[in-house]
Amino acid sequence: MPARFHFDLVKDAEIIRDMDGVEATDIESAIEQAEICLREFRDAGELSGNEGWTLVIRDEIGTELDRLRV
């Protein structure tokens, strides 16, 4: 059964919350989707000059499941 995962951007005390999230079958699929999003942001030049950010993957109730370096 699909679950909803959220991709928040975090740097120090600053958090940009993903309120919508994405549906995925499991955490591995959510990580794949997060990596695709990061690649698209990089390709579009939207992440240049944004060192120090981390993409935090959390579940529907807010539990942190994984972190990816941006």
Side-chain angles (χ1 to χ4, degrees), residues 1-2 6 20-22 33 39 41 46 49 58-59 62-63 67:
M1 172 189 259
H6 300 269
D20 297 327
V22 298
Q33 289 187 42
R39 230 180 350 262
F41 285 141
E46 294 179 30
R58 62 183 170 86
D59 64 13
T63 303
R67 287 179 169 248

Side-chain angles (χ1 to χ4, degrees), residues 2-16:
R4 185 155 297 277
F5 297 89
H6 300 269
F7 304 149
D8 300 333
L9 289 170
V10 178
K11 181 178 181 181
D12 302 321
E14 187 173 356
I15 301 172
I16 301 171

Side-chain angles (χ1 to χ4, degrees), residues 36-56:
I36 290 169
C37 289
L38 289 175
R39 230 180 350 262
E40 289 174 354
F41 285 141
R42 283 187 196 106
D43 291 347
E46 294 179 30
L47 293 179
S48 61
N50 289 314
E51 295 81 18
W53 286 92
T54 301
L55 186 133
V56 175

